[in-house]
Amino acid sequence: MLSAPAALSTDGRPQRPIESRLEMSRRSFLQFCATLATTLGLPKGAEAAMAQAMEAAQRPSVIWLHFQECTGCTESMLRAEHPTLEKLILDVISLDYHETLFAAAGHQVEAARKAAMERHKGKYLLVVEGAIPTRDGGIYCKVGNQTAIELTRECAKDAAAVIAIGSCASWGGMPATDPNPTGAVGVGKILDKPVVTIPGCPPNPYNFLATVVHFLTFGSLPPVDAQGRPLFAYSRLVHENCERRAHYDAGRFALAFGDDGHRKGYCLYKLGCKGPETYANCPTVLFGDAGAGTWPVGCGHPCIGCTEEGVGFSKPIHMLAKVKNVEPPALYPAIHEPQGQGATLGSAAVLAAVAGAAAGAGAMFARNLGKQHAAADTAAKPAQREDA
Amino acid sequence: MNGRREFLRRALAGGAAVAGTTACPSAHARGNAEIPPEAIGLLFDSTLCIGCKACVAACKAANDLPLDYNSPVDALWDMPLDTTARTYNVIKAWQSGTGTQRNQQIDGYAFMKSSCLHCIDPSCVSACPVSAMTKDPATGIVQYDADACIGCRYCVAACPFGIPKYDYDSPTGKIGKCELCRHLLPEGKYAACAEVCPTGATLFGKVSALKAEAHRRLALQEGAPTIWPRGNLDTADQPAWEGPAPRYVQHVYGEKEVGGTQMLKLAAVPFEQLGHKPLPERSFSSQSETLQHTLYGGLVLPLAVLGVMSWVARRNVKHDDETDARGAQDAHAGEKRHD
Amino acid sequence: MTEHIHVAPAPVGGRLLTPVTFTCGVLILAALAILAVRFVLGLGAVTHLNDGYPWGIWVVADVVIGSAFACGGFSIAMLVYIFNKGEYHPLVRPALLASLFGYTLAGVGVIFDLGRWWNFWHILSPAYASPNSVMFEVALCISLYIVVMWIEFSPTFMEKWGMRDARRKLNKVMFFFIALGTVLPMMHQSSLGSLLIVFGTQIHPLWQTMLLPLIFLLSAITIGYAVVLFESCLAAAGYRRSIEMHLLTPLAKIMLGVLAVFMIVRFGDLLWRGALGHAFAANLQAFMFWLETACFLSPFVLLRSEVQRRNPARLFIGGALLMLGGVLLRINAFLVGYDTGTGWSYFPSVPELLVTFGMFAIEVLGYIVITRRFPVLPREDAPPTATPAALRAATR
């Protein structure tokens, strides 16, 4: 199933070996592929397929739109380290339109976008960063005199797939925070086609890359949940893989920032950590390629639930998370547990045997008493007669 | 030395108590006992409980209790099925249907804390024949003294909530039950289960304050934002949090049951489904004690009966005496004959 | 045979080692072995006791039922000394002996069941007194009654060992101990029922009532008479003696009278509380209630006429069934009708049962040994009225 990436190649000229294109050793490249395959939770052998797909020199055309956002998602992408992301977005994909990274400007760049869309009609990837304002006809965000709504719809029309990167593009994120003056919504709200969302503020770059490479490798987008989030990254609660989970289970909580428990690395639930209601792979993938503990909870800050609509940017830090993974499993005792030992075969048999023996002996005994009584009666009667 | 002093102290107090109750026939009939004004207790709000079992773990730590492998699963985790002599506090789960909707009746689930309710008029204290189970006159804590206990397990059988438990697996087994961490009170601490509870589902405080808090919650509109205190309600030692109110069952369990308890409970699911049977308002101990003291108050009735019996017996034994004496002689003679 | 003068008691004599005493010995040894395990490893090692049923058959059978069976002494003593029915005097000593054993063993049986038995003395110490507790009262009464009974029975030993002076002195105050010996059982037999009142709604409505003390007391008195009937028949056959029918026949009538009062109270209470409806439910409790009631009613059928009351077989069965009714009343009230919460179950384990059988074996063995060696049963010089052949048939 490598047809889609082949179709997406930008030109016919022979490619340099991918190692030289990415300025990395063959070993590093394979390691990178293995990392992404692991992030995706793919089986053994997938990393080879990925390497093959990326070597096949198909550089999918990518159009990257920016609306109501802080460019944090892009910044986060740029700081991925293995390999450096600029290499990837320039050499693995053909980034044909990106407002932050483009040197060109004005009509020139809009023309480039239109040309790319025309050239790769039905084959390019559309990535949207930022929320889309809908109030008052969407006039609160315009690029090249087009509103965000118009631009998104225009670009999405012939896109092979649409990826919403960041919480803003996913459901509105921070711009959509109450009272939401611009009517900001996520990409999915204004498009009819399915949108893969990579929420997070910022999202983890590897979740985005893995989604793209999945598309490259298998020609399809990864399976997603009801919010459009790839399951490989968003199917587990932060709480479930949290390094502080043992403290939660043992009832050791930090009560205030900087208190004893906080310094000892206790659970941050009482400080309002939203890990128990937030689906994301932050505790396993971490951020910034700087080693262990480099994610919010690892650094001592409660999770704010940025990947979770209705939690991130809407539920304040002092409100407690609703623990989502406690649908009572078997390990909670039920209200009424069967306890105690009922009749065993042995005890019932012993009791029955003794009761039976007692009843039998009693019956025998009574019978004999009856006989004796009868004998006495018959013995007494003649005597009485004689007396009479 | 201390032991003897303690013994004498107990002897005096016990003697006085016996004298007091037996010599005071007017104390026959009694209603439910009154709650001490400064009584402390817990408020458990099932709707807030997230099933984290932090209270179960904290209780074990605070009371220095061993693991309890009372589970069919395996003997690897502390996994008690119920409160036992080695587990004073357990979080139980109730489920219906698919068991996925928190605090809902249909396809719902809810958690319930099982631990001593610290009755205002406790059956276990009334039952205990050796004053091993007592109620603290100030705090109202129902406390246990293993050194006094004879292990008759009358308290286990009498408790309408099935709380005191005996350790059958030990030759020197003790009764085990929650004593509201009374050993921590002098240190300025309070019940470990409330202290550790992350949501304030278990709240510690004066019963009067807890009762007011319970009724405040019942009066809330469903979904209305409100403040949920945590830890100790009286001292507000932990930050409160804000959240929406759930839909409560309009019943404070423990307010009236068997004369009231010092642990109050709120829930979104009818209490009977959570293993809390409806109980009468009259305490069982007051019924039992009324009966006992009516019959034995001041030992009036038994002594009167004894007097009559003695008089009658004295009259009837007389004629018996001679025959008995004769019988004895006969028996003696008979024995000699046998020899 | 029909003379109404008091026949002096005398030892029965004879061998002590018989198949019956041997069986008793084996059962007692088995019980002792099990009890050794119980004291080393704890109650859980040999019993099925659990926190849903903290009281098992050791409490219900050995103590509650055991002491009710031991009411013969109390019932007969009341008849002889309080109601001045001197003709029943020959029954006093054997009944008293059975009572003495029953109660002493009940007291010892309590120790086996106590989880912290080394503290047992606390119950008698004012330092630990708990006057609100029903069990406190029961324990005090039973302890005192055991002492009183030993005093009541001591003339037997005094006669054996020729302590005439002591006996004469004791006789002067015996009336007081006899009075005490009727008041104390009344107190604790009723309180054995009162024990359940504090259990409240944990006891099934068929058994939970404020009249429990009266119901238990009345049933204990009838059981007392039933035990005397049962025992007299058994002893007569076992020792090949004539049965004191001239005493047992009218005694059966008295028993029926008390039983009638008991039944009126029992059913009157059920009707007055409106609890009788529970007896028609399709559950174990209702079934056991009717079984219990049937046992209590059967003597009225078996012994309804004077002719039937002269038949020792009927007296024996009637007495046995009434005893069974008393057993069921106690088992039902304490175990079958007890429900501390859904999910709990209890049935005695084999070792638990063996200890209870061992306890009854001690009673039987003790009764045999003492009656054979001490002056308890009325002396029997005259040959029995029945022919030797008939007697042999009766005891085979």
Side-chain angles (χ1 to χ4, degrees):
Chain A
M1 270 293 288
L2 299 176
S3 55
L8 285 162
S9 58
T10 46
D11 47 44
R13 72 189 160 88
Q15 294 279 336
R16 289 177 290 147
I18 191 150
E19 303 92 274
S20 70
R21 273 192 282 138
L22 297 179
E23 291 175 1
M24 65 202 310
S25 68
R26 177 81 193 160
R27 183 185 172 81
S28 300
F29 170 67
L30 290 175
Q31 275 176 343
F32 166 66
C33 291
T35 305
L36 288 184
T38 312
T39 304
L40 281 162
L42 293 174
K44 199 177 153 199
E47 76 280 6
M50 281 184 173
Q52 198 190 345
M54 283 157 77
E55 279 174 314
Q58 339 75 4
R59 295 169 60 215
S61 172
V62 171
I63 292 174
W64 191 300
L65 299 177
H66 290 250
F67 300 122
Q68 288 182 316
E69 40 89 352
C70 65
T71 321
C73 305
T74 297
E75 293 290 338
S76 162
M77 297 291 292
L78 292 174
R79 273 150 189 80
E81 284 292 321
H82 44 272
T84 53
L85 253 287
E86 73 269 22
K87 289 290 173 198
L88 261 169
I89 58 177
L90 294 175
D91 288 334
V92 175
I93 58 178
S94 167
L95 191 59
D96 292 330
Y97 181 86
H98 190 295
E99 283 153 11
T100 309
L101 301 179
F102 259 31
H107 295 296
Q108 198 182 7
V109 75
E110 289 302 306
R113 172 173 66 82
K114 294 228 158 80
M117 282 164 58
E118 192 57 37
R119 191 160 62 244
H120 305 296
K121 194 168 180 179
K123 294 164 191 169
Y124 62 87
L125 275 175
L126 173 65
V127 179
V128 181
E129 184 180 345
I132 296 164
T134 55
R135 186 162 293 168
D136 303 329
I139 57 165
Y140 299 109
C141 179
K142 281 189 171 182
V143 178
N145 209 29
Q146 275 182 297
T147 63
I149 301 174
E150 290 162 357
L151 206 51
T152 309
R153 284 188 179 146
E154 182 191 329
C155 294
K157 197 168 154 246
D158 295 322
V162 183
I163 299 176
I165 187 164
S167 305
C168 305
S170 296
W171 77 83
M174 205 268 280
T177 303
D178 198 53
N180 194 359
T182 64
V185 296
V187 180
K189 277 271 161 43
I190 61 153
L191 292 181
D192 292 333
K193 46 171 63 181
V195 175
V196 175
T197 61
I198 313 285
C201 195
N204 196 300
Y206 295 107
N207 292 344
F208 172 73
L209 278 174
T211 306
V212 172
V213 172
H214 189 283
F215 186 74
L216 273 177
T217 309
F218 302 110
S220 62
L221 291 164
V224 296
D225 68 7
Q227 280 85 45
R229 298 178 293 190
L231 289 176
F232 68 82
Y234 297 93
S235 61
R236 291 256 167 225
L237 290 167
V238 169
H239 191 48
E240 289 176 50
N241 286 318
C242 179
E243 63 210 36
R244 297 181 187 232
R245 176 59 189 266
H247 294 295
Y248 171 90
D249 288 341
R252 293 189 289 265
F253 298 99
L255 292 178
F257 287 102
D259 76 355
D260 192 46
H262 193 232
R263 287 177 199 190
K264 284 177 175 161
Y266 286 178
C267 177
L268 304 173
Y269 181 80
K270 278 193 173 182
L271 289 177
C273 178
K274 305 297 186 291
E277 58 180 333
T278 302
Y279 287 96
N281 56 357
C282 308
T284 50
V285 174
L286 306 177
F287 283 84
D289 300 316
T294 51
W295 66 297
V297 172
C299 317
H301 194 282
C303 169
I304 63 164
C306 66
T307 64
E308 202 68 35
E309 183 176 1
V311 179
F313 318 112
S314 56
K315 197 167 177 182
I317 195 77
H318 62 273
M319 285 177 79
L320 284 187
K322 196 172 172 178
V323 183
K324 277 186 182 163
N325 64 344
V326 288
E327 286 169 19
L331 292 185
Y332 284 99
I335 295 292
H336 299 299
E337 286 283 350
Q339 292 179 83
Q341 174 71 57
T344 60
L345 194 62
S347 55
V350 167
L351 193 63
V354 170
M364 278 287 289
F365 187 72
R367 201 169 57 102
N368 288 342
L369 279 176
K371 274 187 191 164
Q372 182 189 353
H373 176 61
D377 252 12
T378 45
K381 266 172 200 156
Q384 277 171 1
R385 229 168 275 142
E386 272 167 36
D387 285 351
Chain B
M1 197 58 196
N2 248 340
R4 184 186 294 175
R5 186 177 304 153
E6 173 68 4
F7 178 84
L8 288 173
R9 193 188 64 72
R10 291 193 79 125
L12 278 174
V18 176
T21 35
T22 53
C24 183
S26 62
H28 286 172
R30 77 164 180 89
N32 292 341
E34 292 293 320
I35 185 168
E38 295 295 291
I40 51 175
L42 298 171
L43 170 62
F44 177 75
D45 190 333
S46 165
T47 68
L48 298 180
C49 181
I50 54 172
C52 70
K53 301 189 188 177
C55 55
V56 181
C59 177
K60 288 249 154 164
N63 292 293
D64 199 17
L65 296 170
L67 298 185
D68 212 345
Y69 304 127
N70 188 7
S71 154
V73 182
D74 52 37
L76 200 59
W77 306 96
D78 181 47
M79 193 65 69
L81 290 180
D82 204 338
T83 54
T84 69
R86 303 169 185 205
T87 303
Y88 301 166
N89 175 34
V90 153
I91 295 294
K92 293 180 173 182
W94 167 85
Q95 290 187 76
S96 74
T98 60
T100 49
Q101 306 299 312
R102 187 168 167 206
N103 294 325
Q104 297 290 318
Q105 275 252 70
I106 296 154
D107 287 342
Y109 69 90
F111 295 106
M112 181 44 84
K113 184 177 182 337
S114 180
S115 61
C116 180
L117 281 88
H118 296 277
C119 299
I120 293 167
D121 199 353
S123 295
C124 56
V125 171
S126 176
C128 183
V130 290
S131 306
M133 207 60 93
T134 51
K135 189 166 176 70
D136 189 284
T139 61
I141 292 174
V142 177
Q143 53 204 12
Y144 171 68
D145 178 6
D147 291 334
C149 176
I150 58 170
C152 70
R153 308 186 300 284
Y154 194 12
C155 55
V156 180
C159 177
F161 305 103
I163 288 303
K165 299 280 165 85
Y166 174 76
D167 190 356
Y168 300 88
D169 294 330
S170 161
T172 59
K174 295 175 187 171
I175 299 290
K177 74 176 268 299
C178 158
E179 296 179 58
L180 220 54
C181 287
R182 65 183 169 108
H183 61 294
L184 297 180
L185 295 178
E187 300 169 31
K189 292 189 189 166
Y190 55 95
C193 56
E195 188 179 354
V196 79
C197 182
T199 63
T202 304
L203 198 60
F204 177 88
K206 289 215 169 67
V207 177
S208 49
L210 293 174
K211 201 173 276 182
E213 171 69 11
H215 284 287
R216 178 188 77 86
R217 292 183 188 183
L218 288 191
L220 290 170
Q221 279 285 325
E222 183 184 351
T226 189
I227 298 294
W228 306 100
R230 280 190 284 202
N232 188 334
L233 185 64
D234 301 331
T235 60
D237 61 327
Q238 292 186 29
W241 60 285
E242 194 190 321
R247 184 183 37 78
Y248 282 108
V249 168
Q250 291 293 317
H251 182 178
V252 181
Y253 194 91
E255 193 176 19
K256 301 240 168 72
E257 279 74 11
V258 287
T261 64
Q262 288 176 213
M263 179 165 188
L264 304 170
K265 292 182 176 180
L266 295 174
V269 176
F271 281 98
E272 192 151 15
Q273 298 186 22
L274 298 175
H276 285 52
K277 292 174 283 191
L279 288 166
E281 291 185 17
R282 174 93 192 265
S283 71
F284 299 137
S285 46
S286 72
Q287 291 179 356
S288 173
E289 287 178 25
T290 297
L291 178 82
Q292 275 306 89
H293 295 314
T294 305
L295 293 176
Y296 301 113
L299 286 177
V300 171
L301 198 56
L303 284 177
V305 176
L306 180 64
V308 173
M309 292 289 182
S310 299
W311 180 74
V312 177
R314 177 162 204 169
R315 240 183 28 168
N316 295 336
V317 168
K318 270 234 167 103
H319 79 274
D320 203 71
D321 241 11
E322 300 111 44
T323 52
D324 254 14
R326 205 192 76 191
Q329 274 171 349
D330 283 359
H332 204 63
E335 239 166 74
K336 270 190 181 148
R337 255 204 319 276
H338 276 297
D339 294 342
Chain C
M1 181 58 208
T2 49
E3 62 174 359
H4 281 260
I5 62 144
H6 295 154
V7 183
V12 175
R15 286 194 315 142
L16 287 184
L17 186 67
T18 63
V20 175
T21 54
F22 180 76
T23 311
C24 286
V26 171
L27 282 173
I28 292 166
L29 285 179
L32 288 177
I34 293 163
L35 286 172
V37 177
R38 174 258 172 274
F39 280 109
V40 174
L41 298 178
L43 280 167
V46 294
T47 70
H48 280 169
L49 291 175
N50 55 58
D51 286 315
Y53 289 90
W55 285 354
I57 52 161
W58 286 4
V59 169
V60 179
D62 302 1
V63 181
V64 181
I65 294 173
S67 71
F69 276 7
C71 275
F74 151 62
S75 296
I76 295 291
M78 202 156 66
L79 200 60
V80 172
Y81 298 113
I82 306 303
F83 296 103
N84 201 16
K85 303 275 187 196
E87 62 268 29
Y88 294 108
H89 196 263
L91 297 177
V92 169
R93 273 200 184 174
L96 199 57
L97 176 66
S99 299
L100 190 54
F101 266 102
Y103 270 101
T104 309
L105 281 174
V108 175
V110 164
I111 302 279
F112 304 154
D113 190 73
L114 285 184
R116 300 174 71 77
W117 47 272
W118 58 93
N119 283 339
F120 176 72
W121 58 275
H122 288 180
I123 210 159
L124 305 173
S125 156
Y128 297 92
S130 173
N132 291 333
S133 168
V134 182
M135 188 183 282
F136 169 73
E137 189 254 319
V138 169
L140 275 190
C141 269
I142 292 192
S143 307
L144 201 55
Y145 183 50
I146 291 174
V147 176
V148 167
M149 265 195 299
W150 278 102
I151 294 170
E152 280 185 277
F153 194 68
S154 58
T156 308
F157 300 105
M158 292 173 177
E159 280 162 27
K160 168 90 179 172
W161 294 315
M163 298 156 71
R164 293 254 186 96
D165 281 354
R167 215 201 131 176
R168 211 166 30 243
K169 276 179 195 151
L170 182 62
N171 266 349
K172 291 233 158 57
V173 287
M174 194 51 117
F175 76 92
F176 178 71
F177 290 108
I178 287 168
L180 209 52
T182 53
V183 175
L184 288 174
M186 278 188 202
M187 286 168 75
H188 66 246
Q189 283 300 335
S190 61
S191 290
L192 284 170
S194 308
L195 276 179
L196 296 176
I197 283 172
V198 77
F199 290 18
T201 46
Q202 295 180 96
I203 304 289
H204 194 276
L206 283 173
W207 292 280
Q208 180 62 287
T209 162
M210 289 304 271
L211 288 186
L212 268 175
L214 186 59
I215 287 171
F216 266 62
L217 176 61
L218 287 171
S219 76
I221 295 172
T222 56
I223 290 171
Y225 296 131
V227 166
V228 171
L229 295 184
F230 178 85
E231 229 166 50
S232 300
C233 292
L234 219 53
Y239 293 143
R240 302 179 183 213
R241 299 153 52 88
S242 63
I243 298 176
E244 302 107 327
M245 291 308 295
H246 64 287
L247 295 179
L248 299 187
T249 302
L251 187 68
K253 198 171 179 181
I254 293 170
M255 178 183 89
L256 289 184
V258 184
L259 187 59
V261 176
F262 164 77
M263 291 309 279
I264 289 165
V265 171
R266 181 86 169 98
F267 275 83
D269 167 65
L270 284 172
L271 285 170
W272 183 64
R273 286 188 296 118
L276 201 57
H278 293 282
F280 300 98
N283 55 23
L284 177 68
Q285 282 76 19
F287 172 76
M288 290 301 281
F289 169 78
W290 286 115
L291 201 60
E292 171 199 320
T293 305
C295 286
F296 277 126
L297 286 175
S298 58
F300 289 112
V301 180
L302 282 168
L303 305 171
R304 62 184 176 279
S305 71
E306 187 72 22
V307 178
Q308 282 158 333
R309 285 197 286 274
R310 282 209 202 97
N311 185 340
R314 281 179 180 264
L315 287 183
F316 174 75
I317 296 177
L321 283 175
L322 205 161
M323 286 163 70
L324 187 60
V327 168
L328 287 173
L329 169 68
R330 283 155 179 79
I331 286 182
N332 287 346
F334 276 84
L335 290 173
V336 177
Y338 178 70
D339 179 18
T340 196
T342 314
W344 291 98
S345 49
Y346 167 78
F347 193 86
S349 70
V350 173
E352 215 174 339
L353 287 167
L354 286 178
V355 169
T356 293
F357 298 148
M359 295 286 282
F360 281 97
I362 294 176
E363 238 166 292
V364 172
L365 185 66
Y367 185 87
I368 291 174
V369 169
I370 294 211
T371 49
R372 281 198 189 277
R373 289 290 173 267
F374 290 86
V376 175
L377 293 175
R379 184 169 11 177
E380 194 162 67
D381 290 331
T385 43
T387 61
L391 242 187
R392 265 200 296 284
T395 50
R396 197 165 291 146

